[in-house]
Amino acid sequence: MKRSTLFLILAIALFIILRGYIPDKGEGGFTAHERALIHGADSTMRVLTIEDSLDLAVLRAPSTYLSPRSIRSNDFMNLCRLMLQTVTHPSQDGVGLAAPQIGINRRVIAVQRFDKPGEPFEVYPNIRIIWASDSLSAGPEGCLSVPGRRGDVLRSQEIVVEYADMTSIRDTSCEVIPMTRDTVRGFTAVIFQHEIDHLEGVLYIDRL
């Protein structure tokens, strides 16, 4: 067999193997593997834990930013719905959830805003911390991905976060979704820091 033919066969085989893990041209730019997870669940999704080695590999992987097309897609809307239904389900009863915890390594988190009337859950795509106070305080934390454990973690008491403005996602005339900023304090700031850590592959037990 000619070397060029063998190389072509190997390249095709590699493409087939990786097809579910690389972005394709489907709606929103999510991978086929991610879309299978997003659309394969009716109400809630399985939360990954450190007790499974394959789960841990996902939890330790850094998450990538979403394109404007991704954020405007039905894939993303369904992901938001599933994240909220999962974190609020009685079996979890959490105050925050990051997309990697349900197998999606994208920069998306859901946080309960105890600093707002009604304490609503909100979803934040492409989020990052752009400032954190030097004033730290230790407080107890647990994690849906680290079952049966709790520990005191030092966290900044005030942070500024930046994320894609969800109120602008329906404006398809604008190719770029504007970013917005929010100053968060107290316990809600702790939740944000905990969930954003997940996007970097960091678990709270790393900070104990």
Side-chain angles (χ1 to χ4, degrees):
M1 183 181 294
K2 293 183 178 180
R3 181 175 299 178
S4 59
T5 303
L6 179 60
F7 177 81
L8 179 60
I9 293 173
L10 291 174
I12 292 173
L14 182 61
F15 173 79
I16 293 173
I17 292 171
L18 295 179
R19 179 175 172 79
Y21 302 93
I22 61 177
D24 67 13
K25 299 184 182 299
E27 180 187 22
F30 284 92
T31 68
H33 175 67
E34 288 170 335
R35 289 201 306 277
L37 289 174
I38 291 170
H39 297 289
D42 293 328
S43 57
T44 64
M45 297 182 73
R46 185 179 71 86
V47 175
L48 279 58
T49 74
I50 63 171
E51 296 172 343
D52 183 286
S53 59
L54 294 179
D55 286 1
L56 184 59
V58 176
L59 292 170
R60 287 302 191 185
S63 294
T64 59
Y65 287 89
L66 295 163
S67 68
R69 182 186 177 191
S70 299
I71 297 173
R72 291 191 173 106
S73 71
N74 288 332
D75 296 330
F76 178 70
M77 292 298 103
N78 205 45
L79 173 61
C80 293
R81 177 183 64 83
L82 288 170
M83 288 182 68
L84 292 176
Q85 290 178 176
T86 299
V87 71
T88 58
H89 192 271
S91 65
Q92 304 297 339
D93 193 26
V95 296
L97 186 72
Q101 292 180 274
I102 53 173
I104 310 290
N105 284 119
R106 301 289 183 152
R107 295 191 71 89
V108 185
I109 66 172
V111 171
Q112 186 168 11
R113 295 298 301 259
F114 288 99
D115 57 342
K116 291 186 176 183
E119 301 179 350
F121 273 89
E122 296 178 351
V123 177
Y124 300 92
N126 287 353
I127 190 166
R128 66 189 184 107
I129 296 173
I130 61 173
W131 178 83
S133 70
D134 292 330
S135 175
L136 305 178
S137 180
E141 291 187 28
C143 182
L144 300 180
S145 294
V146 187
R149 292 186 61 180
R150 291 185 70 80
D152 288 341
V153 183
L154 278 174
R155 299 284 190 185
S156 294
Q157 289 302 289
E158 182 176 347
I159 60 173
V160 177
V161 292
E162 183 179 69
Y163 52 90
D165 184 4
M166 290 285 282
T167 63
S168 303
I169 63 175
R170 296 302 180 187
D171 183 9
T172 56
S173 63
C174 181
E175 292 186 2
V176 178
I177 296 176
M179 303 295 284
T180 188
R181 293 180 178 180
D182 195 358
T183 300
V184 192
R185 303 176 179 87
F187 179 54
T188 304
V190 171
I191 302 172
F192 270 94
Q193 291 170 82
H194 178 111
E195 302 307 332
I196 292 173
D197 268 355
H198 275 296
L199 306 182
E200 311 297 341
V202 176
L203 301 172
Y204 88 94
I205 53 177
D206 301 331
R207 299 188 180 277
L208 296 181

